[in-house]
Amino acid sequence: MTAPVTDDAQWNAAALEEITSSEHAGRPVLFTNARVLTMDPLIGTLTGADVLLVGSMIVGVGPGLVTAAQDDGAIVVDCTGTTVVPAVVDAVALTGGRGRRGQYVATLTPGNAADLLVLPDALAPDVPGALATLFTRPERVRALVASGRPVLWAGADAPGRDHAPEPGIPAAQDLTGDPRVGVWIDRTDFLHQELTADGRYDETRGGRPHAYQGRYWIDGDRIDYLDDLGFWAFGEFRGDELHHAHYVMKLG
């Protein structure tokens, strides 16, 4: 992204330096004195309000949080004249399709992921309008935060921001020596899924060999599968278990 073309280039520059500094890792971050469109049906829209982040989580929303900022050692981001909205949108909720508050996702609710967008009030009349500004006029974005980490700040890339992976199917991983390589067997002995060190899998189902075969990639505790038939699937490592679809497997 090119350098910002607005007068907002120095917006909360000192706060950004603190947020992205390893010296200040772990400190709470407080976005204060903003109009906040939480999209939470209980909390609603707030004015002159604060959003408090700790790590990747929202821990507080509402007026008055700034009074404890010094006690908590928070990094304060002055958001006067701006609106804060969720950066990840629940389109079903926006169209009235959620029946209960507990079903809402991507809201600025304490306990949810710290994904938020900060824009000048005039450019964020509502959540769809704010997102339209993000995509059409990113140079006017004051802050885009993902899981508590700045992505955009004052219309430019934030230092050390994450970037999307390269498009296309990744190269095969060399998983030689990885403890997760082997044959995983589900509790009923129906599914046997062999993961090999060259990034291939081979499933036996109900005694039927080679029922599904393909490639796999491991990223942290997530495993993605690309079957030779062309479909994608995923699983998750949880301790000594591999959860895939409705199967729970352990190494045989």
Side-chain angles (χ1 to χ4, degrees):
M1 179 176 293
T2 59
V5 296
T6 75
D7 295 332
D8 306 324
Q10 296 305 310
W11 184 80
N12 281 289
L16 174 64
E17 185 174 350
E18 289 184 289
I19 293 169
T20 56
S21 167
S22 59
E23 179 183 350
H24 297 282
R27 287 179 61 189
V29 179
L30 182 73
F31 292 82
T32 185
N33 198 32
R35 173 174 170 255
V36 181
L37 307 184
T38 70
M39 298 310 297
D40 182 311
L42 179 62
I43 301 173
T45 296
L46 306 169
T47 56
D50 311 325
V51 181
L52 179 62
L53 315 182
V54 174
S56 62
M57 183 182 295
I58 298 170
V59 299
V61 177
L65 290 170
V66 71
T67 59
Q70 186 172 359
D71 295 340
D72 297 337
I75 300 168
V76 176
V77 182
D78 182 6
C79 294
T80 302
T82 70
T83 294
V84 180
V85 305
V88 179
V89 173
D90 183 350
V92 176
L94 282 174
T95 55
R98 299 290 186 199
R100 299 194 309 273
R101 177 176 180 250
Q103 295 177 319
Y104 280 61
V105 295
T107 58
L108 299 183
T109 302
N112 281 4
D115 299 324
L116 57 85
L117 174 64
V118 184
L119 285 164
D121 289 333
L123 300 177
D126 50 27
V127 174
L131 291 175
T133 299
L134 170 63
F135 292 119
T136 61
R137 303 176 67 186
E139 72 279 359
R140 295 306 313 275
V141 170
R142 296 293 178 85
L144 175 64
V145 176
S147 297
R149 298 295 299 173
V151 176
L152 300 177
W153 198 275
D157 285 347
R161 60 157 288 180
D162 287 332
H163 290 274
E166 291 295 324
I169 298 172
Q173 293 173 308
D174 179 4
L175 296 165
T176 303
D178 192 301
R180 293 166 292 192
V181 167
V183 179
W184 294 81
I185 303 172
D186 86 301
R187 293 168 177 170
T188 67
D189 201 38
F190 174 83
L191 176 65
H192 292 210
Q193 185 182 94
E194 182 180 7
L195 304 180
T196 59
D198 60 353
R200 296 282 299 176
Y201 69 90
D202 190 343
E203 288 190 1
T204 297
R205 290 177 171 245
R208 187 174 83 255
H210 315 307
Y212 291 108
Q213 296 174 293
R215 299 172 62 182
Y216 75 92
W217 296 266
I218 293 176
D219 182 8
D221 290 330
R222 180 186 173 99
I223 178 170
D224 286 281
Y225 306 91
L226 173 58
D227 197 83
D228 289 343
L229 294 175
F231 67 82
W232 291 83
F234 86 104
E236 184 180 17
F237 295 100
R238 302 178 189 173
D240 63 349
E241 296 177 340
L242 172 54
H243 293 241
H244 167 59
H246 62 282
Y247 298 102
V248 178
M249 297 174 279
K250 290 193 174 185
L251 273 173

